Amino acid sequence: MTDPWQDTTLPVDVRVGDLVARMTLAEKVAQLSSIWGVDPDVGDMAPMLREALAAGQRFEDLVRDGLGQLTRPFGTDPVEPAAGLRALAERQRQVVAANRFGIPAQVHEECLTGLAAWQATAYPNPLCWAATFDPDLVERMAARIGTTMRGLGVHQGLAPVLDVVRDLRWGRVEETMGEDPFLVGLLGSAYVRGLESTGVVATLKHFAGYSASRAARNHAPVALGPRELADVILPPFEMALRAGARSVMNSYTDTDGVPAAADRALLTTLLRDTYGFEGTVVADYFSIAFLESLHHVAEDLEEAARLALEAGIDVELPSINAYGGPLLAAVAAGLVDEKLVDRALLRVLRQKCELGLLDPGWAPAEAGTGSDPILDLDPPEARALALEVARRSVVLLANEGGALPLAPGARLAVVGPRADTPEAMLGCYSFPMHVLVHHPGTEPGLEIRTVREALAETFEVTSALGCPVLGGSDADITEAVAVATDADVCVVVLGDRAGLFGNGTSGEGCDVADLRLPGRQEELLEALLATGTPVVAVLLVGRPYDLTRQVDRLAALVCGFFPGEEGATAVADVLAGRVAPTGRLPVSFPGPGSTQPSTYLASTLGQRSEVSSVDPTPLFAFGHGLSYAAATWGDAAASGSTWATDGTCELVVPLVGHPEQATSEVVQVYLHDRASSVVRPVQQLIAAARVDLAAGERTEVRFELHADLTSFTGRDLVRLVEPGAVELRVGASSADIRSVVELRLTGSVREVGHDRVLEPAVTVVRG
């Protein structure tokens, strides 16, 4: 007779409840932990990683009571896919055989730029997703990533990152989707829908406030008021939870002295009681142990386990530190109520049940019978999708000299530290930059062209290094100058080297004190400009940099935010004119003064004013992006002059395509509140739509805007829709407003909650 927990006809909660009642405390705790098969003798590791691993313990001993999760079996070492699949299947068989219920482990991997595995497609970085302003494209990309993961027996992906950029000096800017909460939420929700559509659990990172650390220093304390938290940091999480995300990962930081990993108000009261989240909360790597070793709010691991469990963390990642022996000891000593273990366990097993891991006859994914087939983790359709995202994301910042597109037959000097290296395309969470750098001599496993190689297919190209990302010699710059002098156009490719914890100029732990180009790159750029040859600068970066001293002398300026394995092709296509640039900036480019941490979400006194000598006006504003042909914008019109505080307003924006060329526009709608009960940003994005137009095509973009989109957190920390005068500013960027529609919100003040309308309805009417 089948036990109720194995009966697939019964409701999930009935099955899980029956299983929990049968388990010993040791078996329960085992489901809350994970194992990471990292060799502690590997070369460079993240700070404190080696000390935190469960070194010297046999796998068989660790899983004798069961196991919650297996950490990154494909994303830890360069393992050939078929061999990795066989190894994972064997691990799962060991886990199943060791525990008396035969429960397999849930498997998670990083997937910020695609599955972080050897030979798997390296998609563009999240800043590129945001630059597309195209949620449908991001959803398709995420679905392709999820399909790959599910086929390998991976159940959970640690993405997307929903941190809203507050200071561009932060090293993890490259992992984000920019500085606007609506845009981050829009694209993050699309990624969640795509990943979850394949059955893979999406994990929202990092809840909450990580990107607001003081001075943009990784893990540094957060000085964040409750209103900024509610109105800037949290909305993307609300949107992505509504999109169906089934897991959340805590932030490393502390806010006002309370670490997120020990914050019950954040992880339980807000996330579960207010938002209604029913999935799992997983610890960011080692963050439970950090309560003792870094935050010093726990005397030992027993207390760290208690604090995290009480706060609402269900699963310890990536290995067993606190949710093993220390947690068992804490329960035995009466420091932790076993009911808290059961609470976390119910969530963990509910998710395993939904994934089919409790079903009779479950078997791990296999690589085939007999001789294993070669698993292609980078098939042509995936590369084509990576190219589509990359092309869509390239931003043309300036083209005052009219140098782009490049003239056919032009002789090019292609120089600079990022011109002839594949790594220029990749962010710090791509497998080559995250893992493969620790395995010198290993084949990259992917075909990634360089900008020089891609341009050489069309143009006569000479090249020189100029300088590395950091360091370099006068001779290198002199050589680049000589090459540029003899060319019709100089294409200089500048930017970052992605890395971790100081091993790069962008990436986790690679924070900067100012926003000048790294190393001698600005010196190289000045030397090239002095030649008199037209200079087209291409930035392959993880954050914006201060180019105010050179921009007026450049023939053109193009930006790609680590555009992935097909990035060089995308950049070359834009430079050559085969593809029109369509990207828009998800982050502002700083104006003069390269330590300014501000974003466009600033109040009147946070912008240029007569009471301060510091001008934070950006060089290129949020939403900015040029093309080779533009549509004609008509005047935007609303459905009336009043807008009920509990109603909707229809906004119509006419567009006419360029008479001779196809065009692509991003219609952006910003809200300006003329007077409110608290200080608010001068304007904030509440709607956006990308529209592709054929030559001469007429369209209308119709936005159905609910008054909930005007809501904000009032003086009593309650979210309100207030009556009063507002403007809808419609434009091609936050600084390029084409129409202003004046409206008055009418009716009474209305309180709104998590169930409010978070996105507008958008319709494109053609013809």
Side-chain angles (χ1 to χ4, degrees):
M1 180 178 177
T2 301
D3 291 330
W5 69 272
Q6 293 180 301
D7 187 347
T8 59
T9 66
L10 293 175
V12 169
D13 286 344
V14 173
R15 295 177 63 189
V16 170
D18 175 70
L19 179 56
V20 170
R22 299 169 184 267
M23 300 176 79
T24 66
L25 177 62
E27 289 168 336
K28 293 176 180 180
V29 170
Q31 290 296 321
L32 311 185
S33 62
S34 56
I35 292 177
W36 193 6
V38 174
D39 179 0
D41 294 324
V42 75
D44 293 336
M45 303 180 82
M48 298 154 291
L49 172 57
R50 184 175 283 103
E51 294 79 5
L53 293 170
Q57 300 184 55
R58 296 194 314 150
F59 186 82
E60 294 80 0
D61 296 333
L62 292 171
V63 302
R64 64 176 178 269
D65 291 312
L67 180 64
Q69 294 217 12
L70 279 168
T71 294
R72 291 168 55 178
F74 293 94
T76 298
D77 295 298
V79 56
E80 191 275 323
L85 195 54
R86 289 194 300 272
L88 175 57
E90 179 55 31
R91 279 296 197 209
Q92 287 283 38
R93 281 190 284 268
Q94 289 177 285
V95 173
V96 167
N99 74 90
R100 65 191 179 103
F101 297 104
I103 304 172
Q106 191 163 324
V107 179
H108 75 263
E109 293 282 358
E110 299 284 1
C111 58
L112 193 66
T113 60
L115 171 62
W118 193 45
Q119 302 180 13
T121 305
Y123 290 93
N125 244 44
L127 273 181
C128 292
W129 315 347
T132 71
F133 273 74
D134 192 337
D136 293 338
L137 179 57
V138 171
E139 185 172 343
R140 285 197 286 124
M141 178 192 70
R144 166 61 61 179
I145 293 168
T147 298
T148 299
M149 296 172 73
R150 195 60 191 251
L152 292 173
V154 177
H155 310 104
Q156 182 169 355
L158 304 187
V161 170
L162 298 180
D163 297 301
V164 179
V165 173
R166 304 302 286 158
D167 189 327
L168 295 166
R169 297 173 297 174
W170 191 44
R172 303 191 81 165
V173 167
E174 66 166 73
E175 299 178 47
T176 75
M177 287 170 274
E179 66 186 53
D180 179 83
F182 174 76
L183 181 64
V184 174
L186 185 72
L187 277 299
S189 297
Y191 186 93
V192 166
R193 286 192 298 270
L195 201 68
E196 290 277 1
S197 72
T198 67
V200 173
V201 175
T203 306
L204 310 183
K205 306 194 299 187
H206 303 85
F207 195 71
Y210 189 22
S211 57
S213 59
R214 284 193 181 102
R217 295 178 63 247
N218 196 38
H219 291 213
V222 170
L224 191 67
R227 189 168 293 103
E228 184 180 357
L229 177 69
D231 290 354
V232 177
I233 301 298
L234 293 177
F237 290 94
E238 295 181 79
M239 294 170 73
L241 287 171
R242 194 175 295 184
R246 287 182 285 171
S247 190
V248 171
M249 175 178 279
N250 68 281
S251 166
Y252 280 126
T253 51
D254 74 86
T255 300
D256 197 23
V258 180
D263 193 344
R264 188 185 187 283
L266 180 71
L267 300 182
T268 295
T269 304
L270 178 64
L271 180 61
R272 297 196 183 276
D273 299 343
T274 300
Y275 292 171
F277 178 64
E278 296 182 348
T280 58
V281 175
V282 299
D284 203 346
Y285 283 17
F286 310 112
S287 61
I288 298 177
F290 288 168
L291 295 175
E292 175 199 15
S293 61
L294 295 182
H295 292 294
H296 303 296
V297 296
E299 289 189 354
D300 50 34
L301 288 173
E302 287 85 350
E303 187 175 9
R306 175 183 65 80
L307 289 171
L309 199 62
E310 287 178 348
I313 292 182
D314 303 312
V315 182
E316 180 177 21
L317 300 182
S319 62
I320 305 170
N321 291 293
Y323 281 13
L327 179 54
L328 288 169
V331 175
L335 300 175
V336 173
D337 191 331
E338 189 172 344
K339 290 181 180 178
L340 288 176
V341 175
D342 289 349
R343 182 181 71 172
L345 179 65
L346 285 167
R347 297 165 184 160
V348 168
L349 292 180
R350 186 184 300 121
Q351 194 162 96
K352 284 194 172 186
C353 190
E354 293 170 350
L355 291 167
L357 298 178
L358 303 186
D359 294 353
W362 177 89
E366 300 281 1
T369 58
S371 60
D372 294 326
I374 296 175
L375 298 177
D376 187 357
L377 303 187
D378 187 32
E381 57 270 25
R383 293 194 71 96
L385 185 53
L387 177 59
E388 185 178 355
V389 178
R391 283 172 168 165
R392 200 75 148 166
S393 71
V394 175
V395 185
L396 177 60
L397 296 174
N399 195 25
E400 295 300 324
L404 296 181
L406 295 168
R411 296 178 301 113
L412 305 182
V414 181
V415 304
R418 304 284 82 188
D420 203 21
T421 174
E423 70 177 20
M425 305 301 153
L426 304 174
C428 78
Y429 266 78
S430 66
F431 187 85
M433 303 307 294
H434 200 79
V435 177
L436 212 58
V437 290
H438 302 302
H439 300 269
T442 303
E443 290 294 322
L446 289 173
E447 179 187 344
I448 304 177
R449 295 200 301 167
T450 71
V451 172
R452 182 197 64 77
E453 291 170 339
L455 286 173
E457 290 187 346
T458 307
F459 300 95
E460 178 186 338
V461 167
T462 55
S463 64
L465 174 64
C467 66
V469 172
L470 295 173
S473 67
D474 292 344
D476 289 333
I477 294 177
T478 299
E479 182 185 7
V481 165
V483 170
T485 301
D486 291 337
D488 297 326
V489 177
C490 175
V491 177
V492 58
V493 190
L494 307 169
D496 284 309
R497 182 184 189 275
L500 294 166
F501 305 107
N503 291 314
T505 61
S506 172
E508 185 173 359
C510 296
D511 314 314
V512 294
D514 63 49
L515 295 172
R516 291 181 180 269
L517 284 166
R520 301 183 68 177
Q521 294 185 70
E522 185 171 347
E523 183 181 349
L524 169 65
L525 183 55
E526 286 288 354
L528 295 171
L529 287 167
T531 65
T533 301
V535 176
V536 173
V538 175
L539 303 177
L540 297 175
V541 290
R543 64 165 68 83
Y545 285 101
D546 178 4
L547 291 167
T548 56
R549 290 167 294 280
Q550 295 83 30
V551 66
D552 291 340
R553 291 173 285 152
L554 290 171
L557 179 60
V558 172
C559 181
F561 295 106
F562 292 141
E565 64 181 37
E566 289 288 349
T569 299
V571 168
D573 285 345
V574 167
L575 297 183
R578 291 186 291 270
V579 171
T582 60
R584 302 293 186 267
L585 285 180
V587 283
S588 309
F589 265 66
S594 56
T595 59
Q596 281 295 300
S598 62
T599 73
Y600 95 98
L601 289 178
S603 64
T604 298
L605 290 176
Q607 301 188 3
R608 180 173 57 189
S609 72
E610 295 179 355
V611 299
S612 174
S613 59
V614 177
D615 182 1
T617 304
L619 174 63
F620 298 113
F622 172 85
H624 171 74
L626 305 176
S627 192
Y628 297 146
T632 299
W633 293 52
D635 291 333
S639 51
S641 60
T642 60
W643 186 0
T645 56
D646 61 353
T648 60
C649 164
E650 184 180 63
L651 181 70
V652 179
V653 183
L655 294 175
V656 180
H658 187 276
E660 298 177 355
Q661 300 180 43
T663 56
S664 185
E665 294 281 358
V666 177
V667 180
Q668 302 164 43
V669 181
Y670 296 87
L671 176 74
H672 168 66
D673 194 340
R674 290 189 177 180
S676 58
S677 56
V678 299
V679 175
R680 302 185 64 192
V682 171
Q683 59 183 3
Q684 184 165 352
L685 188 71
I686 62 169
R690 177 172 284 286
V691 185
D692 296 325
L693 301 106
E697 182 180 14
R698 295 180 176 272
T699 66
E700 285 186 345
V701 186
R702 297 178 180 175
F703 298 94
E704 185 178 315
L705 304 170
H706 196 280
D708 287 0
L709 296 172
T710 72
S711 67
F712 61 93
T713 302
R715 293 189 180 186
D716 296 329
L717 301 183
V718 174
R719 182 170 287 278
L720 305 172
V721 177
E722 280 187 349
V726 297
E727 294 176 358
L728 296 178
R729 299 177 175 180
V730 182
S733 81
S734 59
D736 183 7
I737 301 301
R738 307 292 176 87
S739 294
V740 176
V741 178
E742 298 182 355
L743 296 168
R744 177 164 288 277
L745 282 160
T746 59
S748 58
V749 175
R750 188 167 62 89
E751 294 185 5
V752 297
H754 174 60
D755 58 349
R756 70 190 184 279
V757 176
L758 295 170
E759 298 182 35
V762 181
T763 306
V764 178
V765 180
R766 300 184 182 274

